[in-house]
Structures are given as structure tokens and as C-alpha cells.
Amino acid sequence: MGIVSVGQSVPRYEDPYLLRGEGRFTGDVIFPNQAFGYVLRSPHAFAKINGIDTAKALAAPGVLAVLTGADMEADEIGPLPNILPPLPNIDYDQMFVAKRYILATDMARLAGHEVAFIVAETLAQARDAAELVEVDYEPLDALTNSLDVGAGAPRYQDKSDNLAFDNNFGDRQATDAAFAGAAHVIKHRLTVNRVAPSPIENRTTNASYDAGTDRWTAYVPTQGPFAMRGVLAGQIFNTDASKFHLITGNMGGSFGMKGFSVESILAIWATKRIGRPVKWENDRTDSMHSDQHGRDKVVDAELALDADLNFLGLRVSSLANMGAFFGPMGMMHTHLSLIGLINVYKTPAIHINVKGAYSNTSPTGPYRGSNRPDSTFIMERMIDVAARKLDIDPIELRRRNVIPAADMPYKMPLGTVYDSGDFGSNMDKALAGIDHAGFQARKLESEKRGKLRGFGMANNVEQAVGIGQEFVTYRFTENGDLTIIAGTTEQGQGHPTMYRLLASDQLGIDTDRITVIEGDTDSQEAGGGTGGSRVSVMGSNAAMNAGTGIINKGREVAGHLLEAATGDIEFASGTFTVAGTDKSVSLDAVVAASFDAANLGDGMEPGLEEYANYEGKQANYPNGCHVVEVEVDTDTGRAEIVKYVAVNDVGTVLNQLTFRGQILGGIGQAVGQALMENVAYDDDTGQLMTGSFLDYAMPRGNDFCAIEIIDNPHPTDSNPLGAKGAGEVGCACSMPAVVNAVMDALAPLGINHLDMPLTPDKIWGAIQAAE
């Protein structure tokens, strides 16, 4: 491809081989003497398990093992971990963390709960044998709706109110005072519906155990293989981390869902027990039942305003449906980025109450944005609701309260400090880009065709991961080719292209001479994985540190070759030069010379290699403003997006092409949730009613119009590159913008609010009721 620079639009290096079908996903991996695993799942949402008889299944053709909760307990297999973030004002001792084990023992707590693991010579034999396992169930009344907290049979014997936690943030006294003195108080209940992550590649694992070395090798598409290795060793199997070699390979998406998987542990456990490799793959229906779901919360929000319609305070009470268990990262989707509730607006006082309730449904956890879209949705919908009730243009209400760029850095009432951004200019650019001045004319034209046209806007600022460590190794071969080994994990974001771009820009090396390795725990000592929009900040700066180390070592070798002091050696565009002279030597020559000890200084190892880390001290705050126009067909209730402009500030853009891809991907998932995606359970039985793509609607290309993306960068000082997270701002802006647009279109009919998803039947029903 040649030498490229930061900020260019660089095509993804990995696309051609993926499009040719030459990727290596976990599903492509087959070990010699391969066996196959299948999970028997509970058909009941809530039931006692009085006994399990596996004799017939064990006698079935090809069956190698039938593992149950009793076997798990006998082998002392530990529960899944629970990562509890260091949040202020939380007494973790007061929380009730419902642990999840890899197999049910005395109770089945959701339809799809893992009851037995059958291993056989073929997958078909394992499936057939599963039907022969006899489970004595005693069905109980299921609870699926978090609003029914405390109703019905208790989920856990000592927790009849079903609550996992009940946490408060902000200044209650100041917030109460703000509301007491308010000229206007707007109250509204909002629902952030449950969705299924639905990656292209379902969860899967292929594990092998070598008795000679007492070591596992497992191909598993997880977002954090180094973290998973630590969990397997320290919490599941009680052994040393060196016993596990985890490889992620190519991965068809994750969106927060592929973390510590029950079934992955089953396969890793089973391979040692039977002495053969065990492969397990979820099919789509089982995935819909057993994957970690996203969102699912009901929110009561109140916004206080003075007589001039300035925001005085925000009061929010959120009840999240946690599902049957406390997930491994079970607080991320309920507590992360609570600053997004105040968003880009001057709001002096805030109080937040966050509850989590258990139910007989699949556990919920991080899903693209992980509470960022939820928080943005709450504030942006409240502004539109308030504007309509107070008879003011919602754009004007936003302008009146937006934090001006001159006030940066700006300290929020929850203690967060926004370091950079111009939220007002985001709005200006978005409105100009969509030609908002011509909206009324377009609205009249739509009416002539029998359509209702609506306009929606949503601002967003979110806290992206910038605190912690990441690790990258640069290793040259003698001929000058570079291998980059990163501790991050590629899921389809374009990391291999990013690392090539950074090294090419910094070292002046052709990208075709660079190989990138990610997601392999034997490749280096540590890695932070991928999540929370961390890689564009953490991984990139770790890579730059590795490149700086290579240049510094190269100066010593170049000084020897050029007979000059190391301090006099300059580096630029792939060449080392003696300052003030025309004496120079190429990076290739320095690399080759570095393998000869005669060219090395005291204590230098042969070759040119650098293992570097980046330690982030501050979070960063990507932000944006998305504006949307929709047309609603009153005959069918279908809402169609007809214009869309997305203005985004992600600081320094590393690759314009993949930046656009991240924004578009986030918009796609948000539009899906806003207009069609929804996980639904039967309230009486707890059975999943959206168990396939025949029932769970996924957005397609014809559900979108052309989307204009405008970059409005304000680099951050929180990291050397000035980059901000880019993976989630598109999703956070889009969801409320689309809903606001649909509700604006329906407003002339007196329809003020509908809960997501805004499906044609829901909109049509509201129109009929209004008429």
C-alpha cells in the first residue's frame, strides 16, 4: 500500500482477505480427533430441578460425556467473575450479587439456562443424546418485567425484593432545592427497551488440552483474552495463568457481549475430562436465548427549569432489568457514564437513583455504548418533551442551555471535567448540513404526498476509556519487516489497519511490510483487550511509545554506523541523519546492522525490538450532534429516515475511513433499536418470543438514507495523540435523534410519546387512536 499518514483515509488492510473468505474464525478451527459439545437448556423460565438422569444419554451412540451441575461441583469449578468498578458512594457489601455457575444445579432461572453439556463424536450425536437426558423439573411462576419487582415468588431465597443494588449519586439536597425553586418541572417516564447484540459470528469455542504439558489451547472470540486467561486460572480452575493459551482469531463482532462465556468454560473443562478437543458453537436460536442482552430499563425523569427556561436540576430514577444473574460486567450498562444524563447542558444540580432488579430472563450487560446511549436518550427526550409542553422550539431550548466553548474546561456537578469540545458548533454544523432552514418547505411537500415529516436532534458527550494500561511490541526482522504485537483485540473495527498506519507514519515504513498480531495470549505478557472505545486512545499511544523506543535504539546503532554521537542523530521519514550534515543511513540498514553485536552499545540486545506500554491517566470525552428527518406513512405507520447528518468530535482522527465506519455502525445499531429491534418475553411463562430473525427485526440497507458525516475535531490534552474514543458516539447520538424525529412528525396528531421500538404497528395504532 505504501507509506501512509495519520488522518488519511486508508482502506482496511483486512477487508480483501475477509471478503475472499480467507479469514480464520473460531468456527473454521478443527483439531485432530475433534469432538463436539452441545448444551441442554432449560425449557422453563423458573423451575426447581429435583434430579437429572443421564444414563440413557451416556449410552447413546458416539457420546463421550454428559456433564451436569453435580460434576461441576465435584470438580470444584468456580462461578463466573463479577467485575465491580470503583464507583464513589457505593457500599458493595449492601449489594446482592447473584453468582452464575456454568451449569444449573438445584434451580433453572431462565428459559435457556444451561443444565447439561453433552460431548460426542459429532454434533448431531450430541444433539440427539441431549433429548435423552431426563430432567425432573418443578415449574414455578416466572417474573420477566423489572417493574414487577417484589411481586410473585422470590428469585432468590434471601432476596424477596429481587434487587441487586439501590445506589444514589449526586447532591440530593441541592437538587431538591433546585426543584423547589423552579418555575417549571417536567416529568416523564421513558423505557429503554431490551435488545440482542446479534453479531455476525455467534459465540463459539474450540478447546484442546495437552496432558503432557498440562496446558490448554482454546480458540475463543472474546474481547479480552488476557483478562479471560486470568479468570480461568484464578477463579474457575484454580491454577496458573500460564496453563492457558487463548487465541481469538478473526471475530465477527461483539458489541460488548463476548466476554466471559459460560459455554466457553464448559468446552475448556470438558476437553481435559475426556482427553480430546471439544468444539462448541451456538446456533442463532440458542444465541437469542442465552446471549447477554443489552439495555432494558425504565426511567422516571424530572427536569427543573427557571422562568427563562434555563435548566436548574435533573432528577432521575432508573430501574434496570438485570436478568437472572449479575453479569461479569453487570454494572457497566447501569452506572457507566452517568455524566451523559446532564450531557452538554449547564445543569447545576443532579440526583440519580439507580436500581437493578433480577428476573427470569437472560442477563443484561454492556452493549454498544454501555449506558451512554441510554443516558443521552433520557436527557434528549426530556428536552423535546419539555419544549413541547413549554411551547418553545427544542433547538432554541438546547441553545439556551448548552455549555459554551469559552467555558472549557467545564466541571460538571458529578465531578467530571470536560476538557475539550465545542458543543454549540456541533449543532451549528449539523443544522447547516441538513439545511434546517428549508425544513418547513420539505414538510409541506411531504404532506402533499400524504406523509408526516418530522425533525429530530440529539447532542451527546460521553466518557470514553482513557485510564489504565495498554501494551504493544514492535519487532523487526533482519530484512526490515516489522511485526506489531498488540494487547488489544480486533472484532472488526480495523485495528490491524490502524497499527499499520501509525507505524508507517512514525517510522516511514511501507504498510505492506507490517504484520499485526492481536488476541493471542502467548504473543506477549499482557493486554487490556477492547471495549469502551479504548483502542484509538490506549492502543494507539502504546504503539507510538513502541515506535519511539525503536527510534531511540536505532539512533545508537546509526551513531555507530555514521561515526557520530547518538545525541547528534536525527530521524525522519525512515532515515537517520547526522544533524547539520548530509550523512545518513536508512532504517532498513540500521535494522540489519542491529543484528550484529559489533554495532551495538553496551547492554544492547541484538535486533531492534521494543515492548512498550501506555498508561492513561484521564478519560476523554467524544461528543457530537446528529440531526434527522423522517417521513411517517399514516396508512402503514412506517417511519422512514430521509435525511441524516452526523457531526462528531473524536479529537484527532487516525483514519478517516474507519472513523466513518465506526460512526455508521453505531448509527445502524441505534436505528435498529429505535425503530424495530426488541427482545420480548411472555409475561406469564417467561418464554422468549423473539427467538429468531423471523421475530426479531434487524435493520437492512434499505432502512437508511445516505448519511453525511462531518468531522468537528477538538483534540484532547488527555493523551499525546489528542484522540478520543470513536466507537460509541454514533450510537449515543442516533437513538434519541431518530425517536425525536418520529415524535415530531406525530406531534400534530397529539401523540407526544411512544416507547421504543417505533414499529409500524405501534405508530399505526397510535395514529388510529388519535384519530
Side-chain angles (χ1 to χ4, degrees), residues 64-141:
L64 302 170
V66 180
L67 303 176
T68 67
D71 300 307
M72 174 194 73
E73 291 179 335
D75 283 5
E76 298 182 343
I77 305 298
L80 268 66
N82 298 111
I83 299 174
L84 302 176
L87 295 168
N89 304 319
I90 291 184
D91 184 353
Y92 286 108
D93 292 336
Q94 297 300 311
M95 290 176 50
F96 180 72
V97 176
K99 296 282 187 184
R100 185 176 193 179
Y101 288 82
I102 60 175
L103 289 171
T105 52
D106 60 332
M107 301 286 290
R109 296 191 177 276
L110 71 149
H113 196 169
E114 301 80 6
V115 174
F117 190 58
I118 299 92
V119 184
E121 298 283 355
T122 69
L123 178 58
Q125 289 174 327
R127 284 179 177 270
D128 288 345
E131 296 183 8
L132 300 176
V133 177
E134 297 178 356
V135 185
D136 181 4
Y137 293 107
E138 183 181 334
L140 301 169
D141 291 335

Side-chain angles (χ1 to χ4, degrees), residues 215-246:
R215 197 163 192 257
W216 285 269
T217 297
Y219 287 81
V220 51
T222 177
Q223 290 186 210
F226 291 93
M228 184 175 180
R229 180 183 64 178
V231 167
L232 289 170
Q235 295 181 248
I236 306 296
F237 294 105
N238 192 28
T239 187
D240 191 84
S242 64
K243 301 291 186 181
F244 297 93
H245 177 200
L246 303 185

Side-chain angles (χ1 to χ4, degrees), residues 123 197 315 344 510 624 626 633 738:
L123 178 58
R315 194 154 49 200
V344 303
D510 192 313
H626 290 200
D633 187 328
V738 171

